[in-house]
Amino acid sequence: LELTGMPIPRGGAAKLVDGFSGLLRDRGAELHANAPVKQVLIKGGKATGVRTTAGDFEARRAVICCVTPHQLYLDLLDRAVVPDWVVANTRRFRYGRGDMQIHLALSAPPQWPGDERFLRTAMVHVSAGIDGVSRAVNEAERGLLPADPTIVVGQPTVADKSRAPDGGWIIWIQLQEMPNYPIGDAAGEISTNGTWTPEVRERFADRVIAKLARQIPNLPGVILKRVVFSPADLEAANPNLVGGDPYAGACTPDQFFIFRPLPGLKRHRTPIAGLYHIGASTHPGPGLHGASGLMVAKDLLGSRGVKRAFA
């Protein structure tokens, strides 16, 4: 992506999903949404399909699961077909800190101080320096709401004017130093009980906006709409984001490279024939690349088959 200038879809990220969906349908694929998978079906030691809330679907060649190890080996598969060592390693798989997102619709562009290049920059980081980042991470690791969070400010309107009416602006804020389950507040201002209640979510968002307003003086007066997603909200929307972890698993050395998702599992294969495991929990880890799916496609179709499929 960097080599091509980090392109983005005009009209929003949903357009990217629409584009991929169209490519698949053009090649004869059937897409079924809002039909959660309840079980991976196994017959004769081989994955033969999936059972969903909308019925059973048979696999002609392979079943490919984009889930966490916990979902795959502890929920979707019958315990009798999962080796004990896989279950043990799965139970040791850990998740990282939570993520929080704040989306703002503005009636006017933000008045960043001093340097007009801010209004031409798609992503701005606001922090108290490396010591401030370290402090916020430490607080989140201890289950505390950071007193001075690091703020990632995305400005998609910079690259795509169609995302806001004339004269308007859009900002999305990401905070990746959040406790999965807040047990306290480092600033001593917000009462918590270990859960992301709507009140905790909104009060912490107030803290973030107040900090950002010190950099963008006109921000409070131009906010038309604010939507906040806590780590709990993100997990509710996507079960791969356990505890709000956007990377579907802590990216520590013991859970990365050849050890992702689990030691002893290679090339996205599982102990069950015809069953493959892809996604952010697997090698090469999270990111905007889709590499795990490409690797499995090459394994199933060969490099020439992949090129023909998407020619």
Side-chain angles (χ1 to χ4, degrees):
L1 287 171
E2 288 81 359
L3 291 176
T4 54
M6 196 65 177
I8 66 171
R10 182 176 297 277
K15 298 297 184 181
L16 186 63
V17 178
D18 293 341
F20 277 121
S21 299
L23 284 172
L24 291 169
R25 289 193 175 95
D26 288 347
R27 285 155 178 77
E30 292 184 12
L31 304 180
H32 299 269
N34 301 314
V37 175
K38 295 297 185 181
Q39 184 181 14
V40 176
L41 303 176
I42 308 295
K43 185 176 181 180
K46 185 179 187 301
T48 59
V50 294
R51 175 159 294 152
T52 77
T53 56
D56 292 356
F57 293 88
E58 182 179 350
R60 282 184 280 183
R61 185 165 182 181
V63 174
I64 304 171
C65 296
C66 184
V67 295
T68 65
H70 285 90
Q71 291 180 69
L72 181 58
Y73 295 115
L74 303 182
D75 297 333
L76 297 178
L77 287 168
D78 189 304
R79 176 64 182 83
V81 304
V82 183
D84 291 342
W85 67 270
V86 172
V87 172
N89 283 340
T90 297
R91 295 192 190 282
R92 286 193 287 267
F93 188 84
R94 306 180 317 282
Y95 297 93
R97 292 184 301 277
D99 181 40
M100 186 174 188
Q101 297 181 6
I102 304 173
H103 298 265
L104 303 176
L106 309 182
S107 61
Q111 295 175 355
W112 292 96
D115 194 329
E116 48 87 24
R117 288 178 296 178
F118 280 116
L119 277 180
R120 302 201 307 268
T121 303
M123 188 176 294
V124 180
H125 289 69
V126 179
S127 77
I130 190 64
D131 289 339
V133 173
S134 176
R135 182 172 58 250
V137 168
N138 181 272
E139 290 167 350
E141 288 284 359
R142 291 184 287 128
L144 303 177
L145 299 169
D148 188 14
T150 301
I151 305 174
V152 181
V153 181
Q155 302 187 105
T157 326
V158 168
D160 181 6
K161 300 298 183 183
S162 71
R163 299 197 187 188
D166 289 344
W169 202 259
I170 286 177
I171 280 178
W172 61 257
I173 296 169
Q174 186 160 239
L175 304 113
Q176 293 183 303
E177 302 156 352
M178 294 296 100
N180 307 104
Y181 313 100
I183 60 174
D185 178 19
E189 299 171 346
I190 303 173
S191 297
T192 65
N193 61 2
T195 60
W196 279 98
T197 65
E199 180 181 4
V200 170
R201 178 190 68 202
E202 297 302 327
R203 289 197 62 189
F204 189 80
D206 290 341
R207 176 179 298 170
V208 173
I209 298 301
K211 175 180 177 176
L212 198 54
R214 292 194 289 272
Q215 305 295 326
I216 308 173
N218 75 323
L219 182 63
V222 296
I223 296 176
L224 297 173
K225 179 74 174 181
R226 179 178 99 176
V227 178
V228 186
F229 296 95
S230 72
D233 296 324
L234 294 176
E235 181 176 9
N238 184 344
N240 284 343
L241 309 182
V242 178
D245 174 11
Y247 303 131
C251 297
T252 50
D254 63 320
Q255 289 193 172
F256 221 66
F257 303 113
I258 63 173
F259 304 115
R260 198 171 184 91
L262 306 175
L265 297 177
K266 299 178 180 179
R267 296 178 60 84
H268 304 90
R269 296 175 182 267
T270 70
I272 293 92
L275 178 62
Y276 290 81
H277 187 192
I278 66 170
S281 294
T282 71
H283 176 75
L288 306 177
H289 48 66
S292 60
L294 179 61
M295 291 176 187
V296 170
K298 288 182 176 180
D299 197 4
L300 290 170
L301 304 175
S303 296
R304 290 185 179 179
V306 171
K307 289 181 180 179
R308 286 197 300 270
F310 291 96

